[in-house]
């Protein structure tokens, strides 16, 4: 997965704030009152999840990765009991609050009740040990993360989202906890990944704003190479967001799990993923329209210049046709006659001056 071009990277830091405002409003829940957090991070284009899991298990001896149900172990990558060395283990009976990490190969990490320092170490391991492809700017990683608290709630028999909280029932097996947390994590990972693409698209849109100002002034200076580069960027974004991603699709793991699908869709709706994809699509479409106008103007300008050259060549051809051999001969004869007359006059003048000098001497 290739990182956006330099045009976008140069504008990333300038548009962080604008892109962030397009997302849902930040969670207003009191984090002191609800300390257990699910947080999502996107760090790169592609994550080598198998190798990263192995490195995490080496770094944190108390952690383990045998909690995933066997029927989905090839689709869910999870590290359980992710606590620093020497930290007292949480009781096994408290499966919901056990620190847990879900990893996604499209470059996202989702932590459940994991200490900030531990999460920071995990991200550093992925970066420093070459387990990331297309690493993102650290400031973008720190800016474009998201979180939502989760609590125990016995009001319903299945997990659900209400009042900006993920609510889990008291009686829930470890298998169900893992599966539901994965479903919510999947939507969270897609949301933070989309936030990165929002920055990338916004950066390209801003890089095109000078052309709009030039159009308003009536003097557009653009080259075909610049237009082609921006076309390439737009097609790249359009392909990555709408064709090669699961932003609007339902992963196969949920097809036969209606409750998990409901959890996945409810989280995706809460994070506004569908609406944000629609807004990105509008921006890309409008950018395409602007490039079409710029390219049309460039083609018209080139066509006008070509017409001027054609007119000049036709005029020159007409002049050449009008100058016949007879006319050329007549012109040469006139020139020769004028040169002869000038020479004769010069000789006579010289002879007259010589005769006058001799008379004066006599």
């Amino acid at each position: 997965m290739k990182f956006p071009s330099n045009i976008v990277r140069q504008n990333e830091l300038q548009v962080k704030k604008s892109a962030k405002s397009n997302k849902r409003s930040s969670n207003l829940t009191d984090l002191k009152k609800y300390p257990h957090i699910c947080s999502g991070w996107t760090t790169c284009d592609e994550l080598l999840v198998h190798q990263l899991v192995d490195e995490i298990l080496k770094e944190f001896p108390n952690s383990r990765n045998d909690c995933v149900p066997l029927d989905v172990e090839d689709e869910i990558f999870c590290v359980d009991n992710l606590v620093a060395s020497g930290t007292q283990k949480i009781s096994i009976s408290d499966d919901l609050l056990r620190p847990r990490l879900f990893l996604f190969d499209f470059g996202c990490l989702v932590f459940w009740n994991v200490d900030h320092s531990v999460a920071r170490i995990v991200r550093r391991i992925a970066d420093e040990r070459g387990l990331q492809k297309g690493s993102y700017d650290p400031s973008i990683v720190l800016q474009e993360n998201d979180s939502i608290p989760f609590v125990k709630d016995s009001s319903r028999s299945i997990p659900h989202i209400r009042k900006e909280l993920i609510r889990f029932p008291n009686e829930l097996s470890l298998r169900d906890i893992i599966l539901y947390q994965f479903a919510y994590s999947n939507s969270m990972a897609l949301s933070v990944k989309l936030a990165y693409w929002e920055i990338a698209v916004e950066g390209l849109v801003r890089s095109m704003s000078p052309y709009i100002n030039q159009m308003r002034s009536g003097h557009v200076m653009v080259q075909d190479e610049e237009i082609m580069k921006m076309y390439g960027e737009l097609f790249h974004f359009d392909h990555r967001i709408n064709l090669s991603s699961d932003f609007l699709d339902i992963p196969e793991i949920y097809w036969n799990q209606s409750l998990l699908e409901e959890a996945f869709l409810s989280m995706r709706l809460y994070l506004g993923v569908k609406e944000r994809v629609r807004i990105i699509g509008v921006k890309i479409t409008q950018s395409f329209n602007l490039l079409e106008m710029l390219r049309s103007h460039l083609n018209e300008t080139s066509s006008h210049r070509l017409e001027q050259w054609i007119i000049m060549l036709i005029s020159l051809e007409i002049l050449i046709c009008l100058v016949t051999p007879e006319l050329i001969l007549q012109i040469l004869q006139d020139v020769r006659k004028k040169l002869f007359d000038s020479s004769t006059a010069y000789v006579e003048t010289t002879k007259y001056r010589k005769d006058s000098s001799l008379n004066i001497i006599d």
Side-chain angles (χ1 to χ4, degrees), residues 278-333:
R278 186 193 67 81
I279 293 174
I280 290 179
V282 171
K283 290 182 178 182
I284 291 177
T285 300
Q286 293 300 319
S287 298
F288 271 125
N289 293 338
L290 174 60
L291 290 182
E292 285 294 331
M293 295 182 64
L294 290 174
R295 193 167 192 178
S296 176
H297 172 76
L298 184 62
N299 290 338
E300 290 178 359
T301 303
S302 299
S303 177
H304 180 65
R305 291 176 181 174
L306 181 60
E307 290 174 357
Q308 289 180 329
W309 277 105
I310 291 175
I311 293 173
M312 291 174 60
L313 292 174
I314 292 175
S315 301
L316 180 60
E317 184 178 2
I318 292 174
L319 289 175
I320 293 174
C321 291
L322 290 176
V323 180
T324 61
E326 292 78 5
L327 181 58
I328 294 176
L329 182 60
Q330 181 65 41
I331 292 174
L332 291 175
Q333 290 177 348

Side-chain angles (χ1 to χ4, degrees), residues 216-281:
R216 294 177 61 187
S217 65
H219 302 284
V220 179
M221 301 294 293
V222 63
Q223 296 180 358
D224 187 63
E225 183 179 355
E226 297 175 359
I227 293 178
M228 290 304 298
K229 286 183 179 179
M230 288 185 285
Y231 263 122
E233 291 293 339
L234 288 175
F235 277 116
H236 172 71
F237 295 147
D238 193 34
H239 181 272
R240 291 296 301 276
I241 295 171
N242 295 313
L243 298 179
S244 62
S245 68
D246 295 327
F247 291 125
L248 300 179
D249 296 334
I250 298 177
E252 186 176 351
I253 191 175
Y254 308 120
W255 289 1
N256 297 322
Q257 303 286 340
S258 59
L259 294 179
L260 292 181
E261 179 182 345
E262 182 181 348
F264 170 78
L265 293 176
S266 65
M267 186 69 157
R268 193 173 73 176
L269 177 64
Y270 169 71
L271 297 172
V273 172
K274 186 175 182 179
E275 177 64 16
R276 289 157 59 195
V277 170
R278 186 193 67 81
I279 293 174
I280 290 179

Side-chain angles (χ1 to χ4, degrees), residues 39-58:
S39 62
W41 300 74
T42 181
T43 61
C44 60
D45 285 333
E46 185 178 352
L47 194 63
L48 304 179
V49 290
H50 292 92
Q51 294 90 323
L52 181 55
V53 168
D54 293 338
E55 294 295 328
I56 292 173
L57 295 177
K58 294 177 183 177

Side-chain angles (χ1 to χ4, degrees), residues 37 73-74 134 148 161 189 197 202 253 283 336:
I37 304 296
E73 64 178 355
D74 294 332
I148 179 173
I161 298 175
W197 288 115
E202 186 69 20
I253 191 175
K283 290 182 178 182
R336 182 180 179 183

Side-chain angles (χ1 to χ4, degrees), residues 95-107:
D95 292 327
L96 177 64
L97 300 183
R98 184 178 296 121
R100 191 169 289 121
L101 165 65
F102 291 90
L103 305 91
F104 298 88
D105 58 4
F106 52 86

